[in-house]
Amino acid sequence: MPTVPAFKRLPRAVREQQMLDAAVKVFSRRGFHAASMDEIAEDAGISKPMVYAYLGTKEELFVACLHREGTRMMQAIAGAAAPDLPADIRLWRGLRAFFGFVGAHRDGWAVLYRQARGEQPFASELATMRARLVEVVAGMLDHALRAEGRELAAIDLEVVAYALVGATESLADWLADHPEADPEKTATRMMNVAWLGAAQLLHGVTWRPPAD
């Protein structure tokens, strides 16, 4: 007679992380539409009904993956970029933590950035996470400017922060495609691009178009 597979009893929080680990890998490998709950359950070593019971539908599971990977990324950046550090060291450590996260969680980045950005309602979830990251970067710039006795209009801070975040995301996408690339060297390359411009900004140097 067929037997029912036995699953080891684990605390709910541990079991949920197992499911999310498996889901991130499957979504990264298959894409949202092609991914199946059967494959996710199999990779997690649990039954499909248990996935539904713990984390809901495939859409809800994908959102849970987004939230977890986004939270991990933000925690890594916040933990590295302490507010009492000099501006350049703070930005460098934030970039190093960010690219270190992408290098260590390429599947998570694929879900967070590639899969989510083109699918509603996931794109709006991603936009909310990006807005939080922009706020962090704008706050870092504002703190550095004030330390130099300077201020910048809020709209200018926001634009610079969006530019830095956008460039960093694009380079992270490149890093995810190049497993041989070193995340720390990638962070250094981004720092050379970002800080040369930010340092000029801190000292009040701006470019203006010539008069027609």
Side-chain angles (χ1 to χ4, degrees), residues 42-187:
E42 182 179 353
D43 276 23
I46 60 172
S47 67
K48 185 168 72 170
M50 189 178 291
V51 178
Y52 282 108
Y54 274 59
L55 294 166
T57 65
K58 187 167 78 167
E59 290 80 5
E60 290 169 328
L61 177 56
F62 192 89
V63 169
C65 291
L66 277 181
H67 286 168
R68 190 190 70 168
E69 298 306 304
T71 298
R72 282 180 168 181
M73 183 182 71
M74 292 298 295
Q75 287 174 342
I77 296 169
D84 58 338
L85 294 170
D88 59 334
I89 301 302
R90 191 179 182 198
L91 180 58
W92 155 242
R93 289 191 179 181
L95 287 171
R96 185 173 62 178
F98 173 76
F99 286 110
F101 171 86
V102 175
H105 303 89
R106 283 178 165 85
D107 287 344
W109 179 255
V111 169
L112 187 65
Y113 188 68
R114 293 177 177 171
Q115 298 290 334
R117 64 185 172 184
E119 296 284 347
Q120 289 293 351
F122 312 131
S124 59
E125 295 279 349
L126 180 60
T128 299
M129 295 177 195
R130 181 181 289 120
R132 290 206 304 268
L133 187 56
V134 167
E135 284 181 11
V136 170
V137 174
M140 290 170 60
L141 292 172
D142 187 47
H143 183 270
L145 282 165
R146 291 179 186 277
E148 295 281 336
R150 296 182 52 77
E151 290 187 32
L152 200 63
I155 183 64
D156 292 325
L157 278 173
E158 184 179 11
V159 167
V160 172
Y162 264 104
L164 288 175
V165 169
T168 302
E169 287 178 341
S170 293
L171 192 52
D173 213 23
W174 174 88
L175 177 64
D177 281 339
H178 293 79
E180 76 285 356
D182 180 16
E184 186 157 335
K185 288 182 179 178
T186 304

Side-chain angles (χ1 to χ4, degrees), residues 177-196:
D177 281 339
H178 293 79
E180 76 285 356
D182 180 16
E184 186 157 335
K185 288 182 179 178
T186 304
T188 302
R189 293 184 178 107
M190 185 64 218
M191 183 67 186
N192 281 322
V193 173
W195 182 248
L196 291 176

Side-chain angles (χ1 to χ4, degrees), residues 23-36 39-40 58 62 110-111 114-115 119:
V24 165
K25 290 178 182 177
V26 174
F27 284 133
S28 174
R29 187 165 64 236
R30 304 288 190 198
F32 172 74
H33 292 292
S36 72
E39 187 175 4
I40 291 169
K58 187 167 78 167
F62 192 89
V111 169
R114 293 177 177 171
Q115 298 290 334
E119 296 284 347

